[in-house]
């Protein structure tokens, strides 16, 4: 592309979104064209910041007419290289589209533009006395559009489902620039294919989500939280079973290893362990008591001690302790990044297959290079295990990624026999394209490709993500 052509493109984009809302500065583009992964080549042509669905549609139409690739971009907290522009694409960021409409307290819904952050929607719901159920440590930065595009899972999926379960309707700008209005507030609507589900989890490859209608619910009351120290991994699934058998309404069931705990204590400001003696594993268990009913947590912990699946446990006594215990889990991702080079796996298995899988994982990890530390944590109550390979910051980033990739590949190849998934919640993006075959059959991948061709025949919408 000649300088003259580039400058004409910029002039046209500025006409659509305004002079100040097109970025071409190379240093800024390195940030705007990249997500949290920071391991891929980044080289967008420009980043644009539309203020309305109409402007998004006009930018997309322009890109289509000029054969320009588009990378939809939200809070850029994605962990799969989905919002990465490495081939002179136009990054379309929804950062200016943050409007949240007044809460519908009768139908329990909220409508917002896709650039609203997850936390802003949680807060708007809370201010209206209600609750938005998606929760993740990136909530302050991640956008509702990004949550929809990745079908984010998060910390409360075990109780409320993931993003898909929170979405009633969406508005999407398709790759030809037309606007598909599926932004319904209906809870029930069996009128043919429910097309919104095609876009949820499609990682920006089929269109740009510009607005959404989300489900709200009553605020959970009498929520109790415990951090439980555990001796063996197999005790974790036993705790889950006992909690369910005791009739606990589990709102979160997370775990992390002592290695993860140590890294958080080292890097997260103010973090301290609640235990006098450290244990190999910890469970974060959140339960909801029935309104006016007796407390569930204390008798449950007694049961766990009786069954010898718990070494020690701490119950949060006030909101400060509640936050402190949660932060031990929520600070893992940032602490790992501060600690060293990281390669992330985000697998899921049927919950009853976790024990045998972990035994095989331990054997594989024993064969890994000694300078790769394997850190485990995740949403274990729903079968989602985060395996993070961590290498020393002083080492070469590229070499580390290559070495960790070899271990990762061996671990992915274990998954088909457990009918597990290589990505529970982060998605495929650029990071796991090669590995899609471990979780999806050829027939499924061909159907996905066919659908992509129908919706985006020119292949301009987030090109090269999920599959080539
Ligand atoms: P981005 O990173 O900007 O984009 C992600 C993908 O969505 C890209 O493919 C992009 O092209 C596409 N996209 C973005 N906006 C739109 C749009 N409006 N229309 C169409 N496509 C779009 N994920 C979980 O599932 N569970 C967790 O618990 C969790 N915890 C996290 C904790 C931390 C500290 C971090 C850094 C990440 C975590 N993530 C988690 C990953 C990430 O936060 C989620 O994937 C989130 O949904 C991404 O939102 P985003 O707005 O940052 O999207
Ligand atoms: C989490 O559960 O904390 C997130 O998915 C982020 C991560 O895997 O690091
Ligand atoms: Zn997660």
């Amino acid at each position: 592309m000649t300088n003259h052509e580039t400058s004409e493109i910029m002039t046209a984009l500025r006409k659509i979104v305004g002079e100040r809302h097109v970025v071409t500065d190379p240093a800024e583009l390195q940030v705007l064209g990249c997500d949290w992964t920071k391991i891929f080549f980044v080289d967008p042509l420009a980043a644009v910041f539309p203020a309305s669905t109409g402007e998004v549609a006009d930018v997309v139409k322009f890109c289509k007419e000029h054969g320009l690739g588009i990378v939809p971009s939200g809070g850029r907290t994605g962990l799969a290289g989905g919002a990465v522009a490495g081939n002179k694409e136009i990054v379309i960021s929804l950062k200016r589209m943050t409007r949240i409409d007044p809460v519908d307290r009768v139908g329990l819904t909220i409508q917002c533009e896709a650039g609203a952050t997850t936390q802003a929607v949680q807060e708007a719901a809370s201010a209206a006395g209600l609750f938005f159920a998606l929760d993740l440590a990136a909530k302050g930065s991640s956008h509702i559009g990004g949550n929809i595009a990745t079908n984010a899972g998060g910390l409360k999926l075990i109780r409320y489902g993931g993003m898909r379960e929170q979405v009633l309707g969406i508005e999407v700008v398709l790759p030809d620039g037309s606007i598909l209005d599926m932004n319904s507030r209906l809870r029930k609507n069996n009128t043919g294919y429910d097309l919104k589900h095609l876009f949820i989890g499609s990682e920006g490859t089929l269109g740009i989500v510009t607005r959404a209608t989300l489900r709200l619910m009553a605020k959970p009351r009498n929520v109790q939280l415990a951090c439980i120290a555990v001796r063996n991994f197999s005790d974790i699934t036993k705790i889950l079973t006992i909690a369910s058998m005791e009739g606990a309404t589990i709102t979160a069931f997370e775990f992390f290893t002592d290695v993860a705990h140590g890294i958080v204590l080292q890097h997260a400001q103010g973090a301290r362990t609640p235990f006098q003696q450290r244990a190999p594993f910890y469970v974060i268990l959140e339960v909801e008591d029935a309104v006016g009913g007796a407390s569930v947590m204390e008798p449950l912990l007694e049961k766990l001690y009786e069954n010898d699946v718990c070494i020690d446990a701490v119950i949060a006594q006030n909101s400060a302790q509640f936050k402190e215990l949660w932060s031990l889990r929520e600070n893992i991702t940032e602490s790992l990044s501060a600690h060293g080079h990281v390669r992330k796996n985000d697998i899921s298995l049927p919950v009853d297959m976790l024990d045998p899988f972990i035994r095989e994982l331990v054997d594989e990890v024993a064969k890994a290079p000694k300078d790769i530390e394997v850190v485990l944590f995740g949403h274990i109550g729903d079968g989602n295990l985060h395996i993070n390979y961590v290498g020393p910051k002083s080492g070469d980033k590229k070499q580390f990624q290559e070495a960790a990739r070899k271990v990762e590949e061996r671990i992915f190849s274990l998954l088909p026999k457990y009918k597990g998934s290589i990505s529970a919640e982060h998605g495929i993006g650029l990071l796991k394209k090669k590995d899609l075959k471990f979780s999806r059959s050829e027939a499924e991948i061909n159907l996905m490709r066919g659908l992509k061709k129908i919706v985006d025949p020119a292949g301009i919408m987030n090109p090269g993500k999920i599959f080539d």
Side-chain angles (χ1 to χ4, degrees):
M1 193 177 292
T2 63
N3 286 347
H4 177 68
E5 282 165 336
T6 308
S7 135
E8 281 196 334
I9 289 169
M10 297 313 144
T11 307
L13 291 174
R14 287 191 179 106
K15 252 194 200 144
I16 300 170
V17 297
E19 192 68 30
R20 288 186 302 122
H21 304 300
V22 176
V23 171
T24 54
D25 172 65
E28 282 184 70
L29 287 182
Q30 282 302 304
V31 178
L32 294 168
C34 190
D35 66 2
W36 182 275
T37 50
K38 299 182 186 78
I39 54 172
F40 297 102
F41 179 68
V42 177
D43 188 24
L45 190 62
V48 300
F49 298 83
S52 65
T53 301
E55 286 187 8
V56 174
D58 288 346
V59 173
V60 172
K61 262 182 221 150
F62 177 83
C63 291
K64 189 199 159 209
E65 278 157 21
H66 293 80
L68 294 166
I70 294 168
V71 173
S73 174
R76 300 194 313 275
T77 66
L79 297 169
V84 171
N87 200 17
K88 298 287 178 206
E89 300 92 335
I90 304 294
V91 173
I92 301 185
S93 167
L94 282 265
K95 202 177 151 196
R96 288 172 71 213
M97 294 177 56
T98 58
R99 194 188 146 83
I100 301 174
D101 292 346
V103 166
D104 156 21
R105 291 190 194 204
V106 181
L108 304 187
T109 66
I110 189 166
Q111 292 198 326
C112 65
E113 290 182 323
T117 63
T118 318
Q119 187 170 344
V121 170
Q122 285 178 348
E123 286 170 1
S126 178
L130 293 167
F131 180 67
F132 174 57
L134 188 84
D135 197 16
L136 67 174
K139 59 179 171 263
S141 305
S142 66
H143 291 186
I144 290 299
N147 297 155
I148 293 172
T150 57
N151 185 26
L155 302 162
K156 301 290 166 69
L157 183 139
I158 191 168
R159 170 80 171 112
Y160 306 107
M163 192 59 180
R164 191 180 297 282
E165 284 74 29
Q166 316 311 321
V167 176
L168 292 175
I170 52 174
E171 174 189 81
V172 180
V173 173
L174 294 175
D176 64 359
S178 61
I179 299 167
L180 192 58
D181 183 355
M182 302 172 282
N183 204 14
S184 163
R185 290 196 292 152
L186 298 175
R187 298 241 164 188
K188 302 173 86 175
N189 183 10
N190 281 351
T191 47
Y193 305 147
D194 195 345
L195 293 176
K196 67 174 180 287
H197 287 299
L198 192 55
F199 294 86
I200 301 171
S202 67
E203 302 185 45
T205 60
L206 298 178
I208 304 184
V209 180
T210 44
R211 286 184 64 79
T213 302
L214 306 168
R215 263 176 80 207
L216 300 180
M217 55 193 80
K219 277 186 187 173
R221 290 181 204 272
N222 303 334
V223 174
Q224 293 194 29
L225 185 69
C227 185
I228 304 168
V230 179
R231 200 177 295 114
N232 305 302
F233 183 84
S234 58
D235 289 338
I236 296 176
T237 40
K238 287 182 194 148
I239 293 174
L240 183 64
T241 306
I242 294 170
S244 302
M245 292 303 134
E246 290 298 302
T249 302
I250 302 169
T251 49
F253 194 96
E254 299 284 315
F255 99 110
F256 47 90
T257 58
D258 193 47
V259 181
H261 190 43
I263 291 173
V264 168
L265 297 179
Q266 194 180 335
H267 296 281
Q269 218 187 356
R272 55 196 175 111
T273 183
F275 299 109
Q276 302 213 318
Q277 275 202 323
R278 301 269 286 272
F281 304 96
Y282 306 92
V283 167
I284 292 280
L285 172 64
E286 197 187 82
V287 298
E288 198 182 334
D289 284 342
V291 177
S295 162
V296 171
M297 189 63 93
E298 279 172 24
L300 176 56
L301 291 180
E302 273 168 34
K303 265 267 151 26
L304 300 183
Y305 283 118
E306 262 172 41
N307 283 274
D308 196 25
V309 291
C310 155
I311 307 174
D312 199 357
V314 175
I315 302 179
Q317 300 298 332
N318 52 46
S319 62
Q321 281 177 10
F322 197 91
K323 255 183 150 170
E324 202 176 324
L325 289 188
W326 258 121
S327 71
L328 295 174
R329 166 66 183 90
E330 290 188 292
N331 277 327
I332 295 175
T333 308
E334 299 229 24
S335 301
L336 288 174
S337 291
H339 194 68
H341 300 310
V342 184
R343 190 169 181 96
K344 287 179 172 296
N345 286 180
D346 159 43
I347 64 169
S348 67
L349 293 115
V351 184
D352 63 348
M353 290 291 117
L354 284 166
D355 284 346
F357 175 79
I358 283 283
R359 283 196 287 274
E360 285 206 66
L361 178 80
V362 169
D363 292 344
E364 279 306 332
V365 167
K367 294 182 220 154
K370 293 293 160 260
D371 58 348
I372 296 183
E373 200 165 12
V374 175
V375 182
L376 304 179
F377 60 100
H379 319 287
I380 206 71
D382 60 50
N384 181 178
L385 177 64
H386 292 318
I387 306 170
N388 282 221
Y389 312 94
V390 186
K393 261 245 147 76
S394 54
D396 180 76
K397 188 172 170 179
K398 196 160 169 262
Q399 272 174 14
F400 161 76
Q401 287 293 336
E402 281 165 10
R405 166 66 192 163
K406 286 191 186 137
V407 188
E408 156 183 296
E409 216 166 359
R410 287 204 298 272
I411 287 171
F412 283 169
S413 68
L414 300 174
L415 288 168
K417 84 170 174 214
Y418 293 102
K419 301 245 183 286
S421 168
I422 55 152
S423 180
E425 55 175 15
H426 298 161
I428 301 299
L430 290 174
L431 191 65
K432 294 171 222 140
K433 272 200 295 190
K434 278 199 202 123
D435 305 311
L436 199 52
K437 61 176 186 293
F438 289 116
S439 295
R440 296 289 189 193
S441 66
E442 216 179 308
E444 284 176 294
I445 296 172
N446 284 340
L447 189 52
M448 286 190 217
R449 283 183 195 279
L451 289 167
K452 165 79 176 169
K453 263 202 185 128
I454 292 171
V455 182
D456 181 19
I460 59 165
M461 197 53 80
N462 218 0
K465 310 299 163 28
I466 305 181
F467 34 65
D468 285 319

